[in-house]
Amino acid sequence: MDTVHACFEEKIGEVLLPGDVFSFRLPESGDGSIKTGPGLRRNGEEVQVYKSGILRHKQPNMYWIDSQQRRVRVLDSHHVIGIVTAKSGDIFKVDVGGSEQASLSYLAFEGATKRNRPNVQVGDLVYGQFTIANKDMEPKLVCIDSCGRANGMGVFGADGLLFKLSLGLMRRLLAPQSEIAKDLEKIFPFELVVGMNGRVWSCENMTSQQRQTLFKRVAEGSL
Amino acid sequence: MQRGLDAELKKQLDEEEKRIISDEHWFLDLPELKAKENYIIEERSYAPCEDLVFGRMSFRGFNPEVEKLMLLMNTHKEEEDDEEEDNVSRMETDITDEEMARRYESLVESMRKKFAKKRDRSAITKNKEDVNCNAVDNRPKKAFLKPQY
């Protein structure tokens, strides 16, 4: 078990390229396991790198490759911001930035029944999570968790601005001790919704004077 | 006269069908690969790797509901991490334990009174001081006396 970790440990923090292999003999006893995150893939007895980036480690046994990309990865149970593009019968078509539009059923909202339909119009922003998300099927969004509660998902944002960022910045914003979030917090009160598909929505109430002073500060570079 | 299949016959047919279907399923006959599968677990998302927090955030009280949600979702995540530790943290309660005990006591009393028969209700109020039910009521229970002509 230690030999397995040792062969990973010597590369932690180093840049790895696709095709690099970690080969080790798996211990016969079935205790312990290794979790590989994005960027690492199992290939028979070896673990192969398929993305270029830096190897990271989290206790006790999680290894992954930290890399940057802009293309949206549609993955299970990711929370994303979607834009409703069409309403066809009982489902809404939602654009999440992937190659296909996701479908969102009108019953997948908290407190929605056949008689009590949710108030969702074309062009609304929804924050939801994927239940089906793989490359073979049409992605499916829901705005409700497995217990039936909304937990912050659903339609949001009548005012505010939506913009696109790279996925790496997304992850930095959502990191547990995010410095960006702390810095932004000091400036003014605002609300932020971050989707794992690279979309960020923010809303704030500033008077135009406050905005002007803020822009001046940014222009001077004093922020 | 047999109208349909026997239950036994039906079971047999079902089993045969299942066997045929499972024979048609293809699977890898490599027990070694299966053993190794359990050792290396693949995660496809960054969220568990980097402990990403919930996506809705509100700062400085802009949206109080979202702030409540942030606390809820992020402590929920922390609780999952702390499962291995044996710290039993006390939940924040609105009322103290003593008050809860007192309320419960009076609740039990009132429920008992509600379901007691009319004759026993007065007995209960008499015995209210005896909290531990030490004094047992030894009077004979009043039964129906048939009138004697």
Side-chain angles (χ1 to χ4, degrees), chain A residues 1 26 32-37 42 45 58 64-65 67 73 75 78 127 151-152 171 174 176 185-186 189-194, chain B residues 33 36-60 62-63 66 69 72-73:
Chain A
M1 189 65 191
L26 293 174
S33 60
I34 288 196
K35 283 197 190 160
T36 55
R42 186 181 77 97
E45 265 203 31
K58 184 178 96 141
W64 74 93
I65 300 281
S67 61
R73 309 170 70 210
L75 287 177
H78 264 194
Y127 189 63
N151 271 348
R171 279 188 280 133
L174 290 176
E185 193 176 354
K186 288 183 205 155
F190 70 110
E191 189 191 344
L192 192 69
V193 178
V194 180
Chain B
L33 208 62
K36 284 165 197 165
E37 255 174 40
N38 296 334
Y39 188 72
I40 302 179
I41 304 173
E42 293 190 31
E43 290 271 348
R44 290 181 57 213
S45 147
Y46 280 108
C49 298
E50 300 187 357
D51 282 338
L52 301 180
V53 302
F54 190 57
R56 283 194 87 154
M57 301 188 269
S58 155
F59 302 108
R60 293 236 214 138
F62 189 82
N63 191 339
V66 175
L69 253 174
L72 203 76
M73 301 295 279

Short mmCIF file of all heavy atoms in Angstrom, two decimals, chain A residues 1 26 32-37 42 45 58 64-65 67 73 75 78 127 151-152 171 174 176 185-186 189-194, chain B residues 33 36-60 62-63 66 69 72-73:
data_model
loop_
_atom_site.label_atom_id
_atom_site.label_comp_id
_atom_site.label_asym_id
_atom_site.label_seq_id
_atom_site.Cartn_x
_atom_site.Cartn_y
_atom_site.Cartn_z
N MET A 1 0.84 -1.21 0.00
CA MET A 1 0.00 0.00 0.00
C MET A 1 0.86 1.24 0.00
O MET A 1 0.60 2.21 -0.69
CB MET A 1 -0.89 -0.05 1.25
CG MET A 1 -1.95 0.99 1.29
SD MET A 1 -3.14 0.83 0.00
CE MET A 1 -3.99 2.35 0.17
N LEU A 26 -0.42 -4.15 -7.59
CA LEU A 26 -1.48 -3.93 -6.63
C LEU A 26 -1.33 -4.92 -5.48
O LEU A 26 -1.02 -6.07 -5.70
CB LEU A 26 -2.84 -4.13 -7.28
CG LEU A 26 -3.18 -3.09 -8.33
CD1 LEU A 26 -4.48 -3.47 -9.00
CD2 LEU A 26 -3.33 -1.73 -7.69
N GLY A 32 -7.90 -0.74 1.67
CA GLY A 32 -7.46 0.52 1.10
C GLY A 32 -7.81 0.60 -0.38
O GLY A 32 -8.06 -0.41 -1.04
N SER A 33 -7.81 1.78 -0.89
CA SER A 33 -8.10 1.96 -2.29
C SER A 33 -7.53 3.29 -2.71
O SER A 33 -7.14 4.11 -1.89
CB SER A 33 -9.60 1.93 -2.53
OG SER A 33 -10.21 2.95 -1.80
N ILE A 34 -7.49 3.50 -4.00
CA ILE A 34 -6.98 4.76 -4.53
C ILE A 34 -8.10 5.40 -5.33
O ILE A 34 -8.74 4.74 -6.14
CB ILE A 34 -5.77 4.50 -5.44
CG1 ILE A 34 -4.60 4.10 -4.58
CG2 ILE A 34 -5.44 5.73 -6.22
CD1 ILE A 34 -3.32 4.18 -5.30
N LYS A 35 -8.31 6.68 -5.11
CA LYS A 35 -9.33 7.38 -5.91
C LYS A 35 -8.61 8.24 -6.91
O LYS A 35 -7.78 9.07 -6.54
CB LYS A 35 -10.17 8.25 -4.99
CG LYS A 35 -11.16 7.48 -4.19
CD LYS A 35 -12.20 8.42 -3.65
CE LYS A 35 -13.05 7.68 -2.66
NZ LYS A 35 -13.75 8.55 -1.77
N THR A 36 -8.96 8.07 -8.16
CA THR A 36 -8.35 8.92 -9.18
C THR A 36 -9.38 9.92 -9.65
O THR A 36 -10.50 9.56 -9.98
CB THR A 36 -7.90 8.08 -10.38
OG1 THR A 36 -9.01 7.33 -10.84
CG2 THR A 36 -6.79 7.14 -10.01
N GLY A 37 -8.98 11.16 -9.69
CA GLY A 37 -9.89 12.20 -10.13
C GLY A 37 -9.72 12.46 -11.61
O GLY A 37 -9.13 11.66 -12.33
N ARG A 42 -7.63 4.55 -15.23
CA ARG A 42 -7.11 3.22 -14.96
C ARG A 42 -6.95 2.48 -16.27
O ARG A 42 -7.82 2.52 -17.12
CB ARG A 42 -8.08 2.47 -14.06
CG ARG A 42 -7.60 1.15 -13.59
CD ARG A 42 -8.67 0.54 -12.74
NE ARG A 42 -9.71 0.01 -13.57
CZ ARG A 42 -9.80 -1.26 -13.93
NH1 ARG A 42 -8.91 -2.10 -13.55
NH2 ARG A 42 -10.79 -1.65 -14.68
N GLU A 45 -3.50 -2.63 -15.11
CA GLU A 45 -2.83 -2.53 -13.80
C GLU A 45 -2.22 -1.19 -13.55
O GLU A 45 -1.67 -0.93 -12.49
CB GLU A 45 -1.69 -3.55 -13.76
CG GLU A 45 -2.08 -4.85 -13.13
CD GLU A 45 -0.86 -5.57 -12.61
OE1 GLU A 45 0.09 -4.88 -12.21
OE2 GLU A 45 -0.87 -6.79 -12.63
N LYS A 58 -4.99 14.73 -2.28
CA LYS A 58 -5.79 15.08 -1.10
C LYS A 58 -5.81 13.87 -0.20
O LYS A 58 -5.98 12.75 -0.67
CB LYS A 58 -7.21 15.45 -1.54
CG LYS A 58 -8.06 15.91 -0.38
CD LYS A 58 -9.43 16.31 -0.83
CE LYS A 58 -10.41 15.18 -0.66
NZ LYS A 58 -11.72 15.61 -0.20
N TRP A 64 -5.38 13.65 -8.51
CA TRP A 64 -5.96 14.11 -9.77
C TRP A 64 -5.02 15.08 -10.43
O TRP A 64 -4.04 15.52 -9.86
CB TRP A 64 -7.33 14.75 -9.53
CG TRP A 64 -7.30 16.10 -8.92
CD1 TRP A 64 -7.30 17.30 -9.55
CD2 TRP A 64 -7.26 16.42 -7.52
NE1 TRP A 64 -7.29 18.33 -8.66
CE2 TRP A 64 -7.26 17.82 -7.41
CE3 TRP A 64 -7.23 15.64 -6.36
CZ2 TRP A 64 -7.24 18.47 -6.17
CZ3 TRP A 64 -7.20 16.29 -5.13
CH2 TRP A 64 -7.19 17.67 -5.05
N ILE A 65 -5.36 15.40 -11.68
CA ILE A 65 -4.54 16.32 -12.45
C ILE A 65 -5.27 17.65 -12.52
O ILE A 65 -6.43 17.72 -12.93
CB ILE A 65 -4.33 15.79 -13.88
CG1 ILE A 65 -3.65 14.44 -13.85
CG2 ILE A 65 -3.54 16.77 -14.70
CD1 ILE A 65 -2.18 14.49 -13.63
N SER A 67 -5.87 20.87 -14.29
CA SER A 67 -5.60 21.45 -15.61
C SER A 67 -6.66 22.49 -15.93
O SER A 67 -7.69 22.56 -15.28
CB SER A 67 -5.59 20.35 -16.66
OG SER A 67 -6.85 19.73 -16.69
N ARG A 73 -17.81 20.40 -19.36
CA ARG A 73 -17.96 18.96 -19.20
C ARG A 73 -19.29 18.73 -18.49
O ARG A 73 -19.51 19.22 -17.39
CB ARG A 73 -16.85 18.41 -18.33
CG ARG A 73 -15.48 18.85 -18.79
CD ARG A 73 -14.46 18.48 -17.76
NE ARG A 73 -14.29 17.06 -17.72
CZ ARG A 73 -13.96 16.41 -16.62
NH1 ARG A 73 -13.79 17.05 -15.50
NH2 ARG A 73 -13.81 15.12 -16.64
N LEU A 75 -21.38 16.60 -16.39
CA LEU A 75 -21.16 15.48 -15.49
C LEU A 75 -22.29 15.36 -14.49
O LEU A 75 -22.94 16.33 -14.15
CB LEU A 75 -19.85 15.65 -14.73
CG LEU A 75 -18.59 15.44 -15.55
CD1 LEU A 75 -17.40 15.72 -14.70
CD2 LEU A 75 -18.54 14.01 -16.05
N HIS A 78 -23.66 17.67 -11.19
CA HIS A 78 -23.07 19.00 -11.22
C HIS A 78 -24.19 20.02 -11.17
O HIS A 78 -25.20 19.86 -11.85
CB HIS A 78 -22.32 19.20 -12.54
CG HIS A 78 -20.88 18.93 -12.43
ND1 HIS A 78 -19.98 19.31 -13.39
CD2 HIS A 78 -20.15 18.35 -11.48
CE1 HIS A 78 -18.78 18.95 -13.02
NE2 HIS A 78 -18.85 18.36 -11.86
N TYR A 127 -31.10 27.30 -11.97
CA TYR A 127 -29.95 26.67 -11.33
C TYR A 127 -30.39 25.26 -11.00
O TYR A 127 -31.29 25.06 -10.20
CB TYR A 127 -29.58 27.43 -10.07
CG TYR A 127 -28.30 27.01 -9.44
CD1 TYR A 127 -27.10 27.16 -10.11
CD2 TYR A 127 -28.26 26.48 -8.16
CE1 TYR A 127 -25.91 26.78 -9.53
CE2 TYR A 127 -27.07 26.10 -7.58
CZ TYR A 127 -25.90 26.25 -8.26
OH TYR A 127 -24.73 25.87 -7.70
N ASN A 151 -33.40 23.30 -2.16
CA ASN A 151 -32.00 23.55 -1.80
C ASN A 151 -31.33 24.60 -2.63
O ASN A 151 -30.19 24.44 -3.06
CB ASN A 151 -31.19 22.26 -1.94
CG ASN A 151 -31.22 21.48 -0.67
OD1 ASN A 151 -31.64 21.99 0.34
ND2 ASN A 151 -30.80 20.24 -0.73
N GLY A 152 -32.02 25.68 -2.91
CA GLY A 152 -31.38 26.75 -3.65
C GLY A 152 -31.49 26.62 -5.15
O GLY A 152 -31.08 27.52 -5.87
N ARG A 171 -13.58 27.00 -10.60
CA ARG A 171 -13.14 26.17 -9.49
C ARG A 171 -12.46 27.01 -8.43
O ARG A 171 -12.58 26.74 -7.23
CB ARG A 171 -12.16 25.09 -9.96
CG ARG A 171 -12.88 23.90 -10.56
CD ARG A 171 -11.96 22.78 -10.85
NE ARG A 171 -11.25 22.98 -12.09
CZ ARG A 171 -9.94 22.81 -12.23
NH1 ARG A 171 -9.21 22.46 -11.20
NH2 ARG A 171 -9.38 22.98 -13.40
N LEU A 174 -15.10 28.61 -6.34
CA LEU A 174 -15.83 27.69 -5.48
C LEU A 174 -14.94 26.97 -4.49
O LEU A 174 -15.41 26.12 -3.75
CB LEU A 174 -16.56 26.64 -6.32
CG LEU A 174 -17.73 27.14 -7.13
CD1 LEU A 174 -18.28 26.01 -7.97
CD2 LEU A 174 -18.82 27.64 -6.22
N PRO A 176 -12.93 26.07 -1.17
CA PRO A 176 -13.43 26.35 0.18
C PRO A 176 -12.85 27.60 0.82
O PRO A 176 -13.56 28.31 1.51
CB PRO A 176 -13.03 25.10 0.97
CG PRO A 176 -12.19 24.29 0.09
CD PRO A 176 -12.37 24.74 -1.29
N GLU A 185 -15.99 40.13 -1.33
CA GLU A 185 -16.91 40.38 -0.23
C GLU A 185 -16.65 41.72 0.42
O GLU A 185 -17.56 42.38 0.90
CB GLU A 185 -16.71 39.27 0.80
CG GLU A 185 -17.76 39.16 1.83
CD GLU A 185 -17.51 37.96 2.73
OE1 GLU A 185 -16.58 37.18 2.43
OE2 GLU A 185 -18.24 37.84 3.70
N LYS A 186 -15.38 42.13 0.43
CA LYS A 186 -15.04 43.36 1.13
C LYS A 186 -15.54 44.58 0.40
O LYS A 186 -15.71 45.65 0.98
CB LYS A 186 -13.52 43.48 1.26
CG LYS A 186 -12.95 42.51 2.24
CD LYS A 186 -11.46 42.71 2.38
CE LYS A 186 -10.82 41.43 2.83
NZ LYS A 186 -9.43 41.33 2.44
N PRO A 189 -21.89 44.55 -0.91
CA PRO A 189 -22.76 43.38 -0.76
C PRO A 189 -23.34 42.98 -2.10
O PRO A 189 -23.82 43.80 -2.86
CB PRO A 189 -23.87 43.88 0.18
CG PRO A 189 -23.83 45.34 0.08
CD PRO A 189 -22.47 45.75 -0.33
N PHE A 190 -23.27 41.70 -2.39
CA PHE A 190 -23.83 41.25 -3.66
C PHE A 190 -24.13 39.77 -3.57
O PHE A 190 -23.80 39.11 -2.61
CB PHE A 190 -22.86 41.53 -4.81
CG PHE A 190 -21.62 40.67 -4.79
CD1 PHE A 190 -21.45 39.69 -5.75
CD2 PHE A 190 -20.66 40.84 -3.84
CE1 PHE A 190 -20.31 38.90 -5.75
CE2 PHE A 190 -19.52 40.05 -3.83
CZ PHE A 190 -19.35 39.09 -4.79
N GLU A 191 -24.76 39.29 -4.60
CA GLU A 191 -25.12 37.88 -4.66
C GLU A 191 -24.49 37.25 -5.90
O GLU A 191 -24.44 37.89 -6.95
CB GLU A 191 -26.63 37.73 -4.73
CG GLU A 191 -27.08 36.31 -4.56
CD GLU A 191 -28.53 36.13 -4.90
OE1 GLU A 191 -29.25 37.16 -4.96
OE2 GLU A 191 -28.94 34.99 -5.10
N LEU A 192 -24.05 36.03 -5.76
CA LEU A 192 -23.34 35.39 -6.85
C LEU A 192 -23.87 33.97 -7.00
O LEU A 192 -24.07 33.27 -6.03
CB LEU A 192 -21.87 35.33 -6.46
CG LEU A 192 -20.85 34.96 -7.51
CD1 LEU A 192 -20.75 36.06 -8.50
CD2 LEU A 192 -19.51 34.77 -6.84
N VAL A 193 -24.09 33.57 -8.24
CA VAL A 193 -24.43 32.17 -8.48
C VAL A 193 -23.43 31.63 -9.48
O VAL A 193 -23.25 32.20 -10.55
CB VAL A 193 -25.86 32.02 -9.05
CG1 VAL A 193 -26.16 30.57 -9.33
CG2 VAL A 193 -26.86 32.58 -8.09
N VAL A 194 -22.75 30.56 -9.11
CA VAL A 194 -21.70 30.02 -9.96
C VAL A 194 -22.14 28.65 -10.44
O VAL A 194 -22.45 27.77 -9.64
CB VAL A 194 -20.39 29.87 -9.16
CG1 VAL A 194 -19.31 29.31 -10.04
CG2 VAL A 194 -19.97 31.19 -8.58
N LEU B 33 -9.30 -8.88 -13.27
CA LEU B 33 -9.64 -7.50 -13.59
C LEU B 33 -10.65 -6.98 -12.60
O LEU B 33 -10.61 -5.83 -12.16
CB LEU B 33 -10.21 -7.45 -15.00
CG LEU B 33 -10.01 -6.13 -15.74
CD1 LEU B 33 -8.55 -5.87 -15.92
CD2 LEU B 33 -10.70 -6.21 -17.07
N LYS B 36 -9.14 -5.97 -9.33
CA LYS B 36 -8.42 -4.71 -9.41
C LYS B 36 -9.36 -3.53 -9.54
O LYS B 36 -9.06 -2.44 -9.13
CB LYS B 36 -7.46 -4.72 -10.59
CG LYS B 36 -6.25 -5.54 -10.29
CD LYS B 36 -5.49 -5.87 -11.55
CE LYS B 36 -4.54 -7.01 -11.29
NZ LYS B 36 -4.06 -7.59 -12.54
N GLU B 37 -10.51 -3.78 -10.15
CA GLU B 37 -11.48 -2.71 -10.30
C GLU B 37 -11.81 -2.08 -8.97
O GLU B 37 -12.05 -0.90 -8.87
CB GLU B 37 -12.77 -3.25 -10.91
CG GLU B 37 -12.97 -2.89 -12.35
CD GLU B 37 -14.19 -3.58 -12.91
OE1 GLU B 37 -15.19 -3.63 -12.19
OE2 GLU B 37 -14.11 -4.06 -14.03
N ASN B 38 -11.87 -2.92 -7.93
CA ASN B 38 -12.26 -2.37 -6.63
C ASN B 38 -11.18 -1.55 -6.01
O ASN B 38 -11.43 -0.79 -5.10
CB ASN B 38 -12.61 -3.51 -5.67
CG ASN B 38 -13.81 -4.27 -6.16
OD1 ASN B 38 -14.62 -3.72 -6.87
ND2 ASN B 38 -13.91 -5.52 -5.78
N TYR B 39 -9.97 -1.69 -6.48
CA TYR B 39 -8.90 -0.98 -5.81
C TYR B 39 -8.80 0.46 -6.28
O TYR B 39 -8.64 1.36 -5.49
CB TYR B 39 -7.58 -1.73 -6.08
CG TYR B 39 -6.46 -1.19 -5.28
CD1 TYR B 39 -6.41 -1.42 -3.91
CD2 TYR B 39 -5.48 -0.44 -5.87
CE1 TYR B 39 -5.39 -0.91 -3.17
CE2 TYR B 39 -4.44 0.08 -5.11
CZ TYR B 39 -4.40 -0.16 -3.77
OH TYR B 39 -3.40 0.35 -3.03
N ILE B 40 -8.90 0.65 -7.58
CA ILE B 40 -8.77 2.00 -8.11
C ILE B 40 -10.16 2.51 -8.46
O ILE B 40 -10.83 1.98 -9.32
CB ILE B 40 -7.90 2.00 -9.38
CG1 ILE B 40 -6.54 1.42 -9.06
CG2 ILE B 40 -7.76 3.41 -9.91
CD1 ILE B 40 -5.64 1.37 -10.25
N ILE B 41 -10.55 3.58 -7.80
CA ILE B 41 -11.89 4.14 -8.02
C ILE B 41 -11.74 5.42 -8.82
O ILE B 41 -10.94 6.28 -8.48
CB ILE B 41 -12.54 4.47 -6.67
CG1 ILE B 41 -12.58 3.23 -5.80
CG2 ILE B 41 -13.94 4.99 -6.88
CD1 ILE B 41 -13.06 3.51 -4.41
N GLU B 42 -12.51 5.53 -9.88
CA GLU B 42 -12.39 6.71 -10.72
C GLU B 42 -13.47 7.72 -10.42
O GLU B 42 -14.65 7.39 -10.40
CB GLU B 42 -12.47 6.31 -12.19
CG GLU B 42 -11.31 5.48 -12.64
CD GLU B 42 -11.31 5.30 -14.15
OE1 GLU B 42 -11.77 6.18 -14.86
OE2 GLU B 42 -10.84 4.24 -14.58
N GLU B 43 -13.06 8.97 -10.22
CA GLU B 43 -14.03 10.05 -10.04
C GLU B 43 -13.95 10.93 -11.26
O GLU B 43 -12.84 11.25 -11.70
CB GLU B 43 -13.60 10.92 -8.86
CG GLU B 43 -13.71 10.30 -7.52
CD GLU B 43 -15.08 10.56 -6.95
OE1 GLU B 43 -15.81 11.41 -7.52
OE2 GLU B 43 -15.41 9.93 -5.97
N ARG B 44 -15.08 11.37 -11.77
CA ARG B 44 -14.96 12.14 -12.99
C ARG B 44 -15.07 13.63 -12.76
O ARG B 44 -14.88 14.41 -13.68
CB ARG B 44 -16.02 11.67 -13.98
CG ARG B 44 -15.70 10.28 -14.47
CD ARG B 44 -16.72 9.80 -15.45
NE ARG B 44 -16.80 10.72 -16.55
CZ ARG B 44 -17.91 10.96 -17.21
NH1 ARG B 44 -19.03 10.37 -16.87
NH2 ARG B 44 -17.92 11.81 -18.21
N SER B 45 -15.38 14.03 -11.55
CA SER B 45 -15.63 15.46 -11.37
C SER B 45 -14.62 16.06 -10.41
O SER B 45 -14.04 15.37 -9.60
CB SER B 45 -17.04 15.61 -10.83
OG SER B 45 -17.14 16.70 -9.98
N TYR B 46 -14.41 17.36 -10.51
CA TYR B 46 -13.48 18.02 -9.61
C TYR B 46 -14.06 18.29 -8.24
O TYR B 46 -13.34 18.61 -7.32
CB TYR B 46 -13.06 19.38 -10.20
CG TYR B 46 -12.00 19.29 -11.24
CD1 TYR B 46 -12.29 19.53 -12.56
CD2 TYR B 46 -10.71 18.97 -10.89
CE1 TYR B 46 -11.31 19.45 -13.52
CE2 TYR B 46 -9.72 18.89 -11.85
CZ TYR B 46 -10.03 19.13 -13.17
OH TYR B 46 -9.06 19.05 -14.12
N ALA B 47 -15.39 18.22 -8.13
CA ALA B 47 -16.02 18.68 -6.90
C ALA B 47 -15.55 17.93 -5.65
O ALA B 47 -15.20 18.55 -4.65
CB ALA B 47 -17.53 18.63 -7.03
N PRO B 48 -15.48 16.59 -5.65
CA PRO B 48 -14.98 15.94 -4.44
C PRO B 48 -13.48 16.13 -4.25
O PRO B 48 -13.00 16.12 -3.13
CB PRO B 48 -15.33 14.47 -4.64
CG PRO B 48 -15.55 14.31 -6.08
CD PRO B 48 -15.96 15.61 -6.63
N CYS B 49 -12.74 16.31 -5.35
CA CYS B 49 -11.30 16.46 -5.21
C CYS B 49 -10.96 17.74 -4.48
O CYS B 49 -10.11 17.77 -3.60
CB CYS B 49 -10.64 16.55 -6.58
SG CYS B 49 -10.86 15.12 -7.59
N GLU B 50 -11.59 18.81 -4.92
CA GLU B 50 -11.18 20.10 -4.38
C GLU B 50 -12.15 20.62 -3.35
O GLU B 50 -12.04 21.77 -2.93
CB GLU B 50 -11.04 21.10 -5.52
CG GLU B 50 -10.00 20.66 -6.52
CD GLU B 50 -9.73 21.72 -7.57
OE1 GLU B 50 -10.41 22.76 -7.53
OE2 GLU B 50 -8.87 21.50 -8.41
N ASP B 51 -13.11 19.80 -2.93
CA ASP B 51 -14.07 20.24 -1.90
C ASP B 51 -14.77 21.52 -2.27
O ASP B 51 -14.76 22.48 -1.52
CB ASP B 51 -13.33 20.50 -0.57
CG ASP B 51 -13.02 19.21 0.12
OD1 ASP B 51 -13.71 18.20 -0.17
OD2 ASP B 51 -12.12 19.21 0.94
N LEU B 52 -15.34 21.55 -3.46
CA LEU B 52 -15.97 22.80 -3.89
C LEU B 52 -17.24 23.05 -3.09
O LEU B 52 -17.98 22.14 -2.78
CB LEU B 52 -16.30 22.71 -5.39
CG LEU B 52 -15.10 22.47 -6.29
CD1 LEU B 52 -15.55 22.40 -7.73
CD2 LEU B 52 -14.07 23.55 -6.10
N VAL B 53 -17.47 24.32 -2.80
CA VAL B 53 -18.64 24.67 -2.00
C VAL B 53 -19.86 24.82 -2.90
O VAL B 53 -19.76 24.74 -4.12
CB VAL B 53 -18.41 25.98 -1.22
CG1 VAL B 53 -17.22 25.85 -0.33
CG2 VAL B 53 -18.25 27.14 -2.16
N PHE B 54 -20.97 25.06 -2.29
CA PHE B 54 -22.22 25.23 -3.02
C PHE B 54 -22.16 26.48 -3.89
O PHE B 54 -21.56 27.47 -3.53
CB PHE B 54 -23.35 25.35 -2.00
CG PHE B 54 -24.71 25.29 -2.62
CD1 PHE B 54 -25.09 24.20 -3.38
CD2 PHE B 54 -25.61 26.31 -2.42
CE1 PHE B 54 -26.34 24.14 -3.95
CE2 PHE B 54 -26.86 26.25 -2.99
CZ PHE B 54 -27.22 25.17 -3.75
N GLY B 55 -22.83 26.40 -5.06
CA GLY B 55 -22.66 27.44 -6.05
C GLY B 55 -23.34 28.76 -5.79
O GLY B 55 -23.00 29.77 -6.38
N ARG B 56 -24.35 28.79 -4.93
CA ARG B 56 -25.05 30.05 -4.70
C ARG B 56 -24.42 30.73 -3.50
O ARG B 56 -24.33 30.15 -2.44
CB ARG B 56 -26.52 29.80 -4.41
CG ARG B 56 -27.31 29.49 -5.65
CD ARG B 56 -28.75 29.58 -5.39
NE ARG B 56 -29.21 30.94 -5.57
CZ ARG B 56 -30.44 31.27 -5.89
NH1 ARG B 56 -31.32 30.33 -6.06
NH2 ARG B 56 -30.80 32.51 -6.01
N MET B 57 -23.99 31.95 -3.69
CA MET B 57 -23.34 32.65 -2.59
C MET B 57 -23.91 34.04 -2.48
O MET B 57 -24.24 34.67 -3.49
CB MET B 57 -21.84 32.76 -2.86
CG MET B 57 -21.19 31.41 -3.02
SD MET B 57 -19.43 31.55 -3.11
CE MET B 57 -19.20 31.68 -4.85
N SER B 58 -23.99 34.50 -1.26
CA SER B 58 -24.45 35.87 -1.07
C SER B 58 -23.53 36.51 -0.04
O SER B 58 -23.16 35.88 0.94
CB SER B 58 -25.89 35.87 -0.58
OG SER B 58 -26.17 37.03 0.14
N PHE B 59 -23.15 37.73 -0.26
CA PHE B 59 -22.20 38.38 0.64
C PHE B 59 -22.83 39.61 1.27
O PHE B 59 -23.54 40.35 0.63
CB PHE B 59 -20.96 38.80 -0.15
CG PHE B 59 -20.29 37.64 -0.81
CD1 PHE B 59 -20.34 37.48 -2.16
CD2 PHE B 59 -19.64 36.69 -0.06
CE1 PHE B 59 -19.75 36.40 -2.77
CE2 PHE B 59 -19.03 35.61 -0.65
CZ PHE B 59 -19.09 35.47 -2.01
N ARG B 60 -22.48 39.78 2.54
CA ARG B 60 -22.90 40.96 3.28
C ARG B 60 -24.41 41.12 3.32
O ARG B 60 -24.92 42.23 3.25
CB ARG B 60 -22.31 42.23 2.66
CG ARG B 60 -20.82 42.30 2.80
CD ARG B 60 -20.45 43.58 3.48
NE ARG B 60 -19.20 44.09 3.00
CZ ARG B 60 -18.98 45.36 2.75
NH1 ARG B 60 -19.93 46.24 2.93
NH2 ARG B 60 -17.80 45.74 2.34
N PHE B 62 -26.86 40.39 1.23
CA PHE B 62 -27.63 40.84 0.08
C PHE B 62 -28.90 40.03 -0.07
O PHE B 62 -29.98 40.55 -0.35
CB PHE B 62 -26.77 40.69 -1.18
CG PHE B 62 -27.37 41.33 -2.38
CD1 PHE B 62 -27.24 42.67 -2.60
CD2 PHE B 62 -28.09 40.57 -3.26
CE1 PHE B 62 -27.81 43.26 -3.70
CE2 PHE B 62 -28.67 41.15 -4.36
CZ PHE B 62 -28.52 42.49 -4.58
N ASN B 63 -28.78 38.73 0.11
CA ASN B 63 -29.94 37.85 -0.02
C ASN B 63 -29.94 36.90 1.17
O ASN B 63 -29.25 35.90 1.15
CB ASN B 63 -29.84 37.06 -1.33
CG ASN B 63 -31.12 36.34 -1.65
OD1 ASN B 63 -31.94 36.08 -0.76
ND2 ASN B 63 -31.31 36.00 -2.90
N VAL B 66 -30.29 33.09 0.74
CA VAL B 66 -29.13 32.40 0.18
C VAL B 66 -28.05 32.24 1.24
O VAL B 66 -27.35 31.23 1.28
CB VAL B 66 -28.59 33.15 -1.05
CG1 VAL B 66 -27.32 32.52 -1.54
CG2 VAL B 66 -29.62 33.14 -2.14
N LEU B 69 -28.92 29.31 3.23
CA LEU B 69 -28.63 28.12 2.44
C LEU B 69 -27.16 27.80 2.44
O LEU B 69 -26.76 26.64 2.54
CB LEU B 69 -29.03 28.38 0.99
CG LEU B 69 -30.27 27.69 0.50
CD1 LEU B 69 -30.58 28.18 -0.87
CD2 LEU B 69 -30.06 26.20 0.48
N LEU B 72 -26.30 26.11 5.56
CA LEU B 72 -26.85 24.76 5.60
C LEU B 72 -26.04 23.79 4.75
O LEU B 72 -25.64 22.73 5.19
CB LEU B 72 -28.28 24.83 5.05
CG LEU B 72 -29.20 23.71 5.48
CD1 LEU B 72 -29.62 23.94 6.89
CD2 LEU B 72 -30.41 23.66 4.59
N MET B 73 -25.79 24.21 3.50
CA MET B 73 -25.15 23.28 2.59
C MET B 73 -23.70 23.07 2.95
O MET B 73 -23.15 22.00 2.76
CB MET B 73 -25.23 23.80 1.14
CG MET B 73 -26.59 24.03 0.65
SD MET B 73 -27.53 22.53 0.51
CE MET B 73 -26.93 21.91 -1.03
#
